[in-house]
Amino acid sequence: MFVKMDQKTTATLLELAAKSLLSSEPAVIHALEEIPRDLFIPLFSTAFLGGHKKILKAMVRVWPFHCLHLGSLKAQESYYDILESMIDGLPIPPPQNSSSRGHKLRILDLRHNSNCKTTCSQVRITFPFCLQSCRSSQHAVLNLENTQHHVRCLAIGNSGSEVESAQETMELLVDISLNNTLRTQQFLTFLSNKVEQSSGFLHLCCRDLQINRMSANKSILQILNLGCIGHLEMDQAYLGEIITVFAGMIHLHSLSLSNIPFRSYRGRNLKSFLVWLGQLENLQELRLSFFYLKDQLDKLLSVLPPHMDTLCLSFCGISMRDVTFLSQSSQATQLRVLNLNNNHIFSEAYEPFQVLLEKISGTVQHLEINNCMMTDSILLAIIPTLNQCINLRVFNFAFNPITMPVLKSLLQHLASLPRLKHVIYPVPIHCYHEQNFHHSLNRQKLAEVQAQVKAMLHMLHKDHVKWATYYD
């Protein structure tokens, strides 16, 4: 009698086989030339989660697919040790006499990406295909192979040496965080040495670069192709240092800057910064924190692309004049995410914000006005406009001096929003002793508020919508 096995059953059997193999590292390494291709993926996952560095190094050397991605895998410990083992397994330059399987690995992706499988489907058009391959650098595998294919089609000259170069080139995809820890510095030194030793065979592709204290990490930039970077996050850097990094980042789509010293704005620095910022045509997300912009937001908005969909300006000293300019900007009707946290924008008037809210009402999905000095009267005035934000999913207005009756009124009105999933609301002022806002919280009163909110949500059949405070 034959038993029909579904894909899930087959996967489970492969995982069991992989675990059985790992009981003897030398035997696994010796058998890599012979084991079925289908066993490589579950074996890799099991070896990675178990921290089998020698096996991982050997597997990279004979990987039978075009690409290898960490995907959703996370190491339990010795993360950098594991990454170094895998990088060390790259056969660079490739051996003249490759293994019986042939030398197939071209892209090693060491980024954590929950939506990425261990290897891409074996789709072929003219040459091996990978969804995560670099498209930004002329040294990337995909671009080199495109060039060689074009040369072949035109039959121009003898392209033998060029084809060989394209076939040998490999990509290493890695997110880099320069955080000044000793282990990070050791990893970056290892990475730099590997790239230099490859003599051009290895293309290092960094899509996400995080820099803490720019002055201590300038050397690593020399081995990076800045055109590959899509997201840049910098903390505690001078504007002049940021400008030097901008120069090669032509494909940047997300920029986060925080804790920029105010004294670095002097002279021509701010003007130069705005010039460079204006050259980032692909920019979609801008996040600034502790970046003083009072009465200067119009200058920033004038150089930003009109198609931007994310703008976060926390602790930026934003005034009502700035809010007015934002409401009149070309970006206003495109914004999906707007964060104005920790700016006292309601200390003067609320009308400019109400106009802004009307402009973004058709697109905004995530709105934060946490700690903006919003009072009962202001909230009551903007509730009708808030109710027009039909795509709103997340609303954060914590740490504003609101009373319980107004909070209840807001809850009843927002219940009609079809996509609202999460609200972070302020603790009503009666929960603080002697109306001392932000201090001396009465936990019993807060518990009563939370119970009332929960009961109202149940009565309105909105139990799936999470209303919470920062104290939950």
Side-chain angles (χ1 to χ4, degrees):
M1 182 177 70
F2 294 95
V3 179
K4 185 177 180 181
M5 294 185 293
D6 57 20
Q7 292 182 348
K8 185 175 181 180
T9 303
T10 304
T12 302
L13 290 173
L14 288 173
E15 290 170 3
L16 290 173
K19 290 180 180 179
S20 177
L21 280 172
L22 288 176
S23 59
S24 174
E25 284 193 352
V28 173
I29 295 172
H30 181 72
L32 287 177
E33 293 284 351
E34 307 297 335
I35 64 175
R37 275 165 43 108
D38 290 342
L39 192 55
F40 263 76
I41 294 176
L43 180 61
F44 171 77
S45 300
T46 306
F48 185 88
L49 295 174
H52 297 272
K53 295 186 287 292
K54 292 182 180 179
I55 293 178
L56 291 171
K57 179 178 178 179
M59 291 190 74
V60 168
R61 190 165 294 275
V62 296
W63 190 253
F65 304 100
H66 179 71
C67 53
L68 172 56
H69 309 271
L70 290 190
S72 60
L73 295 177
K74 289 185 177 181
Q76 299 300 318
E77 55 183 324
S78 303
Y79 182 66
Y80 281 131
D81 291 345
I82 292 176
L83 296 189
E84 288 176 0
S85 296
M86 295 178 65
I87 295 171
D88 209 31
L90 289 172
I92 298 174
Q96 295 298 319
N97 298 317
S98 58
S99 68
S100 59
R101 290 185 181 275
H103 175 59
K104 294 185 178 180
L105 181 62
R106 307 292 301 284
I107 298 170
L108 178 59
D109 184 359
L110 301 181
R111 304 168 303 154
H112 179 72
N113 186 343
S114 58
N115 297 319
C116 188
K117 296 182 179 179
T118 306
T119 188
C120 295
S121 301
Q122 294 297 291
V123 180
R124 281 180 169 80
I125 302 176
T126 306
F127 41 76
F129 181 77
C130 174
L131 294 173
Q132 300 297 323
S133 60
C134 177
R135 290 166 173 79
S136 303
S137 171
Q138 62 180 353
H139 301 294
V141 169
L142 184 63
N143 290 336
L144 285 173
E145 290 180 337
N146 267 316
T147 300
Q148 302 312 323
H149 175 64
H150 183 65
V151 169
R152 292 190 195 99
C153 291
L154 295 177
I156 298 177
N158 181 8
S159 60
S161 62
E162 294 178 351
V163 172
E164 181 182 2
S165 175
Q167 289 176 343
E168 292 174 348
T169 301
M170 305 182 75
E171 286 181 25
L172 176 60
L173 277 58
V174 58
D175 291 335
I176 294 179
S177 177
L178 307 181
N179 55 23
N180 297 319
T181 63
L182 177 60
R183 189 62 185 94
T184 298
Q185 293 296 331
Q186 290 172 342
F187 174 72
L188 294 177
T189 299
F190 169 84
L191 196 59
S192 299
N193 291 337
K194 191 69 175 180
V195 173
E196 291 175 1
Q197 292 167 8
S198 74
S199 301
F201 287 105
L202 182 62
H203 167 55
L204 180 62
C205 182
C206 173
R207 312 279 177 85
D208 189 323
L209 176 63
Q210 299 179 21
I211 304 176
N212 183 12
R213 296 185 182 277
M214 175 71 184
S215 58
N217 294 290
K218 291 182 179 179
S219 59
I220 188 64
L221 298 178
Q222 297 175 2
I223 67 166
L224 294 183
N225 186 323
L226 300 182
C228 295
I229 298 173
H231 172 72
L232 172 65
E233 182 175 335
M234 299 184 70
D235 182 55
Q236 302 184 63
Y238 289 92
L239 280 184
E241 294 174 324
I242 296 171
I243 293 168
T244 61
V245 176
F246 271 170
M249 295 190 180
I250 56 176
H251 296 107
L252 200 67
H253 63 79
S254 176
L255 174 64
S256 299
L257 303 175
S258 58
N259 295 300
I260 310 302
F262 180 71
R263 62 182 180 275
S264 74
Y265 298 6
R266 296 174 182 173
R268 300 177 57 87
N269 280 343
L270 183 58
K271 290 183 179 180
S272 299
F273 169 75
L274 293 175
V275 169
W276 283 112
L277 192 63
Q279 296 178 7
L280 301 178
E281 298 178 354
N282 299 309
L283 194 66
Q284 293 181 317
E285 303 177 2
L286 179 64
R287 293 178 170 85
L288 303 178
S289 179
F290 291 98
F291 192 111
Y292 193 71
L293 283 171
K294 185 175 182 180
D295 296 333
Q296 298 191 86
L297 185 58
D298 57 322
K299 298 177 184 178
L300 181 72
L301 296 171
S302 67
V303 301
L304 294 177
H307 58 265
M308 277 190 54
D309 60 20
T310 298
L311 183 62
C312 301
L313 303 171
S314 180
F315 288 106
C316 289
I318 300 301
S319 65
M320 269 301 169
R321 176 181 180 272
D322 295 318
V323 175
T324 299
F325 276 109
L326 179 56
S327 68
Q328 297 170 350
S329 70
S330 58
Q331 295 86 6
T333 56
Q334 306 293 325
L335 291 176
R336 293 187 300 106
V337 177
L338 178 61
N339 178 338
L340 298 177
N341 285 346
N342 304 296
N343 295 289
H344 293 174
I345 56 176
F346 296 116
S347 60
E348 304 170 39
Y350 70 87
E351 290 85 1
F353 179 80
Q354 189 169 25
V355 174
L356 172 61
L357 201 54
E358 291 172 356
K359 289 291 184 67
I360 66 175
S361 61
T363 58
V364 67
Q365 299 177 13
H366 189 124
L367 176 62
E368 296 195 35
I369 46 176
N370 174 18
N371 190 26
C372 289
M373 297 297 289
M374 182 169 59
T375 59
D376 279 359
S377 59
I378 295 173
L379 182 56
L380 288 172
I382 67 173
I383 281 178
T385 311
L386 267 174
N387 213 32
Q388 297 173 18
C389 300
I390 58 174
N391 294 303
L392 190 62
R393 298 179 182 180
V394 177
F395 179 41
N396 177 4
F397 68 114
F399 300 112
N400 286 294
I402 304 298
T403 64
M404 189 63 188
V406 173
L407 179 62
K408 289 181 178 179
S409 177
L410 177 69
L411 193 155
Q412 290 175 330
H413 281 85
L414 296 191
S416 61
L417 293 179
R419 295 179 176 84
L420 189 64
K421 299 296 181 184
H422 196 175
V423 178
I424 302 178
Y425 63 93
V427 174
I429 57 176
H430 77 273
C431 294
Y432 297 96
H433 295 293
E434 299 179 356
Q435 307 296 305
N436 190 3
F437 194 49
H438 291 325
H439 299 284
S440 305
L441 178 65
N442 187 317
R443 291 283 179 175
Q444 182 177 350
K445 290 183 178 180
L446 174 59
E448 293 171 357
V449 168
Q450 293 167 331
Q452 291 181 58
V453 169
K454 184 177 181 179
M456 287 186 67
L457 289 171
H458 182 71
M459 182 181 65
L460 295 167
H461 306 290
K462 292 291 180 178
D463 299 270
H464 63 284
V465 182
K466 184 177 181 181
W467 281 64
T469 70
Y470 276 119
Y471 296 97
D472 282 23

mmCIF file of all heavy atoms in Angstrom, residues 203-228:
data_model
loop_
_atom_site.group_PDB
_atom_site.id
_atom_site.type_symbol
_atom_site.label_atom_id
_atom_site.label_comp_id
_atom_site.label_asym_id
_atom_site.label_seq_id
_atom_site.Cartn_x
_atom_site.Cartn_y
_atom_site.Cartn_z
ATOM 1 N N HIS A 203 31.032 41.883 -4.521
ATOM 2 C CA HIS A 203 30.335 43.172 -4.439
ATOM 3 C C HIS A 203 29.586 43.238 -3.114
ATOM 4 O O HIS A 203 28.660 42.448 -2.880
ATOM 5 C CB HIS A 203 29.361 43.331 -5.606
ATOM 6 C CG HIS A 203 28.385 44.459 -5.433
ATOM 7 N ND1 HIS A 203 28.790 45.757 -5.194
ATOM 8 C CD2 HIS A 203 27.018 44.486 -5.429
ATOM 9 C CE1 HIS A 203 27.729 46.532 -5.068
ATOM 10 N NE2 HIS A 203 26.643 45.788 -5.203
ATOM 11 N N LEU A 204 29.987 44.149 -2.234
ATOM 12 C CA LEU A 204 29.327 44.327 -0.943
ATOM 13 C C LEU A 204 28.150 45.280 -1.123
ATOM 14 O O LEU A 204 28.332 46.439 -1.504
ATOM 15 C CB LEU A 204 30.309 44.881 0.082
ATOM 16 C CG LEU A 204 29.751 45.131 1.487
ATOM 17 C CD1 LEU A 204 29.260 43.831 2.107
ATOM 18 C CD2 LEU A 204 30.806 45.773 2.375
ATOM 19 N N CYS A 205 26.950 44.791 -0.873
ATOM 20 C CA CYS A 205 25.727 45.580 -1.080
ATOM 21 C C CYS A 205 25.045 45.809 0.264
ATOM 22 O O CYS A 205 24.513 44.876 0.872
ATOM 23 C CB CYS A 205 24.781 44.855 -2.038
ATOM 24 S SG CYS A 205 23.265 45.763 -2.411
ATOM 25 N N CYS A 206 25.096 47.045 0.744
ATOM 26 C CA CYS A 206 24.447 47.414 2.009
ATOM 27 C C CYS A 206 23.209 48.242 1.685
ATOM 28 O O CYS A 206 23.316 49.326 1.116
ATOM 29 C CB CYS A 206 25.412 48.204 2.890
ATOM 30 S SG CYS A 206 24.660 48.872 4.388
ATOM 31 N N ARG A 207 22.034 47.743 2.036
ATOM 32 C CA ARG A 207 20.784 48.457 1.769
ATOM 33 C C ARG A 207 20.366 49.318 2.959
ATOM 34 O O ARG A 207 19.660 50.300 2.791
ATOM 35 C CB ARG A 207 19.666 47.453 1.464
ATOM 36 C CG ARG A 207 20.017 46.374 0.446
ATOM 37 C CD ARG A 207 19.911 46.844 -0.970
ATOM 38 N NE ARG A 207 20.322 45.817 -1.906
ATOM 39 C CZ ARG A 207 19.522 44.850 -2.367
ATOM 40 N NH1 ARG A 207 18.263 44.800 -1.983
ATOM 41 N NH2 ARG A 207 19.967 43.948 -3.209
ATOM 42 N N ASP A 208 20.772 48.911 4.161
ATOM 43 C CA ASP A 208 20.353 49.595 5.389
ATOM 44 C C ASP A 208 21.596 49.918 6.203
ATOM 45 O O ASP A 208 22.290 49.026 6.682
ATOM 46 C CB ASP A 208 19.404 48.696 6.186
ATOM 47 C CG ASP A 208 18.755 49.411 7.366
ATOM 48 O OD1 ASP A 208 19.431 50.225 8.009
ATOM 49 O OD2 ASP A 208 17.574 49.153 7.640
ATOM 50 N N LEU A 209 21.886 51.219 6.356
ATOM 51 C CA LEU A 209 23.079 51.654 7.082
ATOM 52 C C LEU A 209 22.679 52.504 8.280
ATOM 53 O O LEU A 209 21.979 53.511 8.125
ATOM 54 C CB LEU A 209 23.994 52.464 6.159
ATOM 55 C CG LEU A 209 25.248 53.074 6.788
ATOM 56 C CD1 LEU A 209 26.172 51.981 7.314
ATOM 57 C CD2 LEU A 209 25.981 53.952 5.782
ATOM 58 N N GLN A 210 23.108 52.084 9.474
ATOM 59 C CA GLN A 210 22.839 52.833 10.698
ATOM 60 C C GLN A 210 24.170 53.277 11.295
ATOM 61 O O GLN A 210 25.069 52.455 11.496
ATOM 62 C CB GLN A 210 22.070 51.969 11.695
ATOM 63 C CG GLN A 210 20.719 51.496 11.174
ATOM 64 C CD GLN A 210 19.996 50.617 12.176
ATOM 65 O OE1 GLN A 210 20.267 50.648 13.376
ATOM 66 N NE2 GLN A 210 19.068 49.809 11.687
ATOM 67 N N ILE A 211 24.272 54.569 11.563
ATOM 68 C CA ILE A 211 25.525 55.128 12.065
ATOM 69 C C ILE A 211 25.274 55.887 13.361
ATOM 70 O O ILE A 211 24.471 56.812 13.399
ATOM 71 C CB ILE A 211 26.169 56.086 11.043
ATOM 72 C CG1 ILE A 211 26.382 55.377 9.701
ATOM 73 C CG2 ILE A 211 27.495 56.612 11.561
ATOM 74 C CD1 ILE A 211 26.933 56.291 8.616
ATOM 75 N N ASN A 212 25.965 55.484 14.413
ATOM 76 C CA ASN A 212 25.905 56.184 15.693
ATOM 77 C C ASN A 212 27.263 56.836 15.927
ATOM 78 O O ASN A 212 28.278 56.158 16.027
ATOM 79 C CB ASN A 212 25.582 55.197 16.820
ATOM 80 C CG ASN A 212 25.448 55.890 18.156
ATOM 81 O OD1 ASN A 212 25.367 57.116 18.222
ATOM 82 N ND2 ASN A 212 25.433 55.123 19.229
ATOM 83 N N ARG A 213 27.264 58.157 15.971
ATOM 84 C CA ARG A 213 28.505 58.933 16.103
ATOM 85 C C ARG A 213 29.378 58.738 14.863
ATOM 86 O O ARG A 213 30.283 57.917 14.828
ATOM 87 C CB ARG A 213 29.280 58.545 17.362
ATOM 88 C CG ARG A 213 28.544 58.863 18.646
ATOM 89 C CD ARG A 213 29.411 58.582 19.857
ATOM 90 N NE ARG A 213 28.709 58.834 21.102
ATOM 91 C CZ ARG A 213 28.590 60.020 21.672
ATOM 92 N NH1 ARG A 213 29.153 61.075 21.089
ATOM 93 N NH2 ARG A 213 27.941 60.169 22.805
ATOM 94 N N MET A 214 29.089 59.531 13.885
ATOM 95 C CA MET A 214 29.732 59.429 12.581
ATOM 96 C C MET A 214 31.245 59.504 12.650
ATOM 97 O O MET A 214 31.957 58.778 11.956
ATOM 98 C CB MET A 214 29.195 60.566 11.686
ATOM 99 C CG MET A 214 29.847 60.681 10.343
ATOM 100 S SD MET A 214 29.399 59.344 9.257
ATOM 101 C CE MET A 214 30.432 59.720 7.843
ATOM 102 N N SER A 215 31.782 60.356 13.504
ATOM 103 C CA SER A 215 33.222 60.599 13.518
ATOM 104 C C SER A 215 34.036 59.349 13.830
ATOM 105 O O SER A 215 35.196 59.245 13.452
ATOM 106 C CB SER A 215 33.556 61.686 14.545
ATOM 107 O OG SER A 215 33.110 61.297 15.835
ATOM 108 N N ALA A 216 33.425 58.373 14.504
ATOM 109 C CA ALA A 216 34.158 57.171 14.893
ATOM 110 C C ALA A 216 34.052 56.050 13.868
ATOM 111 O O ALA A 216 34.620 54.982 14.057
ATOM 112 C CB ALA A 216 33.641 56.671 16.242
ATOM 113 N N ASN A 217 33.329 56.267 12.759
ATOM 114 C CA ASN A 217 33.047 55.155 11.848
ATOM 115 C C ASN A 217 33.260 55.502 10.373
ATOM 116 O O ASN A 217 32.652 54.897 9.498
ATOM 117 C CB ASN A 217 31.596 54.691 12.036
ATOM 118 C CG ASN A 217 31.350 54.089 13.395
ATOM 119 O OD1 ASN A 217 31.823 53.005 13.688
ATOM 120 N ND2 ASN A 217 30.607 54.798 14.224
ATOM 121 N N LYS A 218 34.112 56.446 10.077
ATOM 122 C CA LYS A 218 34.257 56.890 8.695
ATOM 123 C C LYS A 218 34.948 55.854 7.804
ATOM 124 O O LYS A 218 34.692 55.796 6.604
ATOM 125 C CB LYS A 218 35.045 58.202 8.651
ATOM 126 C CG LYS A 218 34.291 59.385 9.230
ATOM 127 C CD LYS A 218 35.108 60.658 9.122
ATOM 128 C CE LYS A 218 34.340 61.856 9.684
ATOM 129 N NZ LYS A 218 35.119 63.106 9.615
ATOM 130 N N SER A 219 35.814 55.015 8.353
ATOM 131 C CA SER A 219 36.621 54.117 7.535
ATOM 132 C C SER A 219 35.780 53.104 6.766
ATOM 133 O O SER A 219 36.102 52.757 5.625
ATOM 134 C CB SER A 219 37.649 53.383 8.407
ATOM 135 O OG SER A 219 36.998 52.637 9.419
ATOM 136 N N ILE A 220 34.701 52.601 7.355
ATOM 137 C CA ILE A 220 33.895 51.562 6.710
ATOM 138 C C ILE A 220 33.250 52.069 5.429
ATOM 139 O O ILE A 220 32.961 51.305 4.505
ATOM 140 C CB ILE A 220 32.813 51.026 7.676
ATOM 141 C CG1 ILE A 220 32.091 49.805 7.088
ATOM 142 C CG2 ILE A 220 31.804 52.104 8.009
ATOM 143 C CD1 ILE A 220 32.972 48.610 6.891
ATOM 144 N N LEU A 221 33.016 53.376 5.336
ATOM 145 C CA LEU A 221 32.366 53.927 4.155
ATOM 146 C C LEU A 221 33.203 53.743 2.903
ATOM 147 O O LEU A 221 32.688 53.768 1.789
ATOM 148 C CB LEU A 221 32.068 55.415 4.363
ATOM 149 C CG LEU A 221 31.116 55.757 5.512
ATOM 150 C CD1 LEU A 221 30.954 57.256 5.635
ATOM 151 C CD2 LEU A 221 29.762 55.092 5.318
ATOM 152 N N GLN A 222 34.505 53.536 3.077
ATOM 153 C CA GLN A 222 35.390 53.397 1.924
ATOM 154 C C GLN A 222 35.138 52.121 1.138
ATOM 155 O O GLN A 222 35.456 52.061 -0.056
ATOM 156 C CB GLN A 222 36.853 53.447 2.395
ATOM 157 C CG GLN A 222 37.237 54.778 3.039
ATOM 158 C CD GLN A 222 38.643 54.762 3.609
ATOM 159 O OE1 GLN A 222 39.364 53.767 3.490
ATOM 160 N NE2 GLN A 222 39.055 55.861 4.229
ATOM 161 N N ILE A 223 34.600 51.077 1.774
ATOM 162 C CA ILE A 223 34.359 49.820 1.048
ATOM 163 C C ILE A 223 32.903 49.659 0.648
ATOM 164 O O ILE A 223 32.537 48.653 0.046
ATOM 165 C CB ILE A 223 34.784 48.594 1.890
ATOM 166 C CG1 ILE A 223 33.875 48.444 3.127
ATOM 167 C CG2 ILE A 223 36.243 48.681 2.287
ATOM 168 C CD1 ILE A 223 34.015 47.103 3.805
ATOM 169 N N LEU A 224 32.052 50.650 0.973
ATOM 170 C CA LEU A 224 30.640 50.553 0.633
ATOM 171 C C LEU A 224 30.353 51.267 -0.680
ATOM 172 O O LEU A 224 30.918 52.327 -0.959
ATOM 173 C CB LEU A 224 29.772 51.174 1.733
ATOM 174 C CG LEU A 224 29.773 50.491 3.094
ATOM 175 C CD1 LEU A 224 28.800 51.216 4.033
ATOM 176 C CD2 LEU A 224 29.393 49.027 2.990
ATOM 177 N N ASN A 225 29.469 50.681 -1.466
ATOM 178 C CA ASN A 225 28.930 51.369 -2.630
ATOM 179 C C ASN A 225 27.703 52.132 -2.142
ATOM 180 O O ASN A 225 26.643 51.550 -1.912
ATOM 181 C CB ASN A 225 28.549 50.358 -3.710
ATOM 182 C CG ASN A 225 28.121 51.032 -5.003
ATOM 183 O OD1 ASN A 225 27.477 52.082 -4.975
ATOM 184 N ND2 ASN A 225 28.465 50.424 -6.119
ATOM 185 N N LEU A 226 27.833 53.439 -1.954
ATOM 186 C CA LEU A 226 26.768 54.227 -1.344
ATOM 187 C C LEU A 226 25.505 54.263 -2.200
ATOM 188 O O LEU A 226 24.420 54.546 -1.697
ATOM 189 C CB LEU A 226 27.261 55.655 -1.072
ATOM 190 C CG LEU A 226 28.470 55.764 -0.131
ATOM 191 C CD1 LEU A 226 28.827 57.223 0.109
ATOM 192 C CD2 LEU A 226 28.202 55.061 1.196
ATOM 193 N N GLY A 227 25.645 53.969 -3.474
ATOM 194 C CA GLY A 227 24.472 53.940 -4.340
ATOM 195 C C GLY A 227 23.527 52.795 -4.038
ATOM 196 O O GLY A 227 22.375 52.803 -4.479
ATOM 197 N N CYS A 228 23.989 51.793 -3.291
ATOM 198 C CA CYS A 228 23.132 50.647 -2.936
ATOM 199 C C CYS A 228 22.219 50.951 -1.753
ATOM 200 O O CYS A 228 21.216 50.261 -1.553
ATOM 201 C CB CYS A 228 23.993 49.439 -2.585
ATOM 202 S SG CYS A 228 24.971 48.785 -3.953
#
